[in-house]
Amino acid sequence: PVDEETIDITYRVFLWMAFAGLDDKDAIRVTADCVDLKNLRINFEGHSYEIYKECIQDFEKSCNLTDFQYKHPNYITRRDRAGGNLIMRGIRTPTVDLKTIRPVINKKFSVGDTGETSGRQKSRISYKRIYLSGIFYRAYERERAGLPVDFSEFVARSIERKEKTKKYTVTKTRTLTTIANTIEREYLADYEKWKCAFAM
């Protein structure tokens, strides 16, 4: 519960940022001054992302708490939060590393406490799946308002991000435009599956 003010608040905020459309590498760099709770927006590097009313308390506490409640099996205490203004920072260090966050979140999503699933599949929730669900949710809201479903802006930004680190192989017939069109068709197909699972 958010009122317990444990470090779990930062993990929830991380996943809300996924739903809002931030890449995980960007989410860990969001600072308190990027968060505009009055207008319910995260303003980060020239882009604006929606903060949903369901997560306002998490963002308020992630931006403002200077300590967290720490639950030990034998006692409960408060521990000072690391200095700085990253909203994802924890107790030990003011920086945030995806390599340490991912295992913690995966463990929390795992079925069972022993690592055994007893015949059941482990949860397949991931940052990317939550990220895509947010993209599809906003597309669905636009579709319900009578607007066309269009992933072109999202695809263009995805290609732009990838081009910074690993270039696409392009030829005369395989241009960035044809690559973008293919990716957009794939997202449209995934969106229809998402609607069947969550919206209908």
Side-chain angles (χ1 to χ4, degrees):
V2 66
D3 291 341
E4 290 187 2
E5 297 186 344
T6 65
I7 198 168
D8 288 341
I9 288 168
T10 63
Y11 303 133
R12 282 200 300 275
V13 160
F14 183 60
L15 298 176
W16 276 116
M17 287 193 283
F19 193 76
L22 278 97
D23 186 74
D24 57 359
K25 294 178 184 68
D26 291 337
I28 63 171
R29 297 188 299 119
V30 171
T31 57
D33 55 330
C34 297
V35 179
D36 179 356
L37 288 171
K38 183 180 178 183
N39 296 302
L40 299 180
R41 308 299 297 179
I42 299 166
N43 300 305
F44 183 79
E45 294 189 346
H47 298 286
S48 183
Y49 306 88
E50 185 173 356
I51 293 174
Y52 295 89
K53 65 181 187 300
E54 292 86 354
C55 59
I56 291 172
Q57 276 190 300
D58 286 310
F59 273 96
E60 283 176 339
K61 290 185 182 291
S62 195
C63 288
N64 298 314
L65 284 177
T66 56
D67 60 9
F68 287 122
Q69 180 171 266
Y70 177 75
K71 291 184 168 185
H72 185 274
N74 301 322
Y75 61 88
I76 296 175
T77 187
R78 302 287 298 195
R79 287 195 173 175
D80 288 339
R81 199 172 178 189
N85 66 346
L86 290 175
I87 65 171
M88 286 288 303
R89 74 189 189 283
I91 293 168
R92 294 192 183 97
T93 106
T95 58
V96 183
D97 188 347
L98 287 174
K99 290 178 184 174
T100 57
I101 293 171
R102 285 180 182 136
V104 173
I105 290 176
N106 289 341
K107 185 177 180 183
K108 289 182 179 291
F109 278 139
S110 293
V111 177
D113 296 324
T114 62
E116 296 178 9
T117 59
S118 303
R120 294 175 294 171
Q121 274 194 326
K122 281 195 174 183
S123 172
R124 297 178 65 193
I125 296 174
S126 66
Y127 192 94
K128 185 176 180 182
R129 287 174 187 269
I130 295 170
Y131 174 88
L132 285 174
S133 194
I135 298 291
F136 294 156
Y137 172 76
R138 287 182 288 281
Y140 181 63
E141 289 295 289
R142 288 192 296 272
E143 186 177 11
R144 287 177 63 196
L147 300 170
V149 175
D150 180 11
F151 295 110
S152 58
E153 184 181 337
F154 164 63
V155 169
R157 284 178 57 193
S158 299
I159 289 174
E160 181 185 336
R161 276 197 302 269
K162 185 170 180 179
E163 282 285 292
K164 288 179 181 177
T165 56
K166 185 180 179 182
K167 302 282 186 184
Y168 282 98
T169 303
V170 295
T171 64
K172 285 182 179 179
T173 55
R174 189 177 188 261
T175 65
L176 283 179
T177 301
T178 59
I179 291 169
N181 290 339
T182 301
I183 294 171
E184 187 165 4
R185 281 194 300 273
E186 290 169 356
Y187 280 124
L188 282 166
D190 287 343
Y191 171 63
E192 292 302 323
K193 293 175 189 172
W194 178 90
K195 280 201 297 185
C196 289
F198 297 106
M200 295 180 172

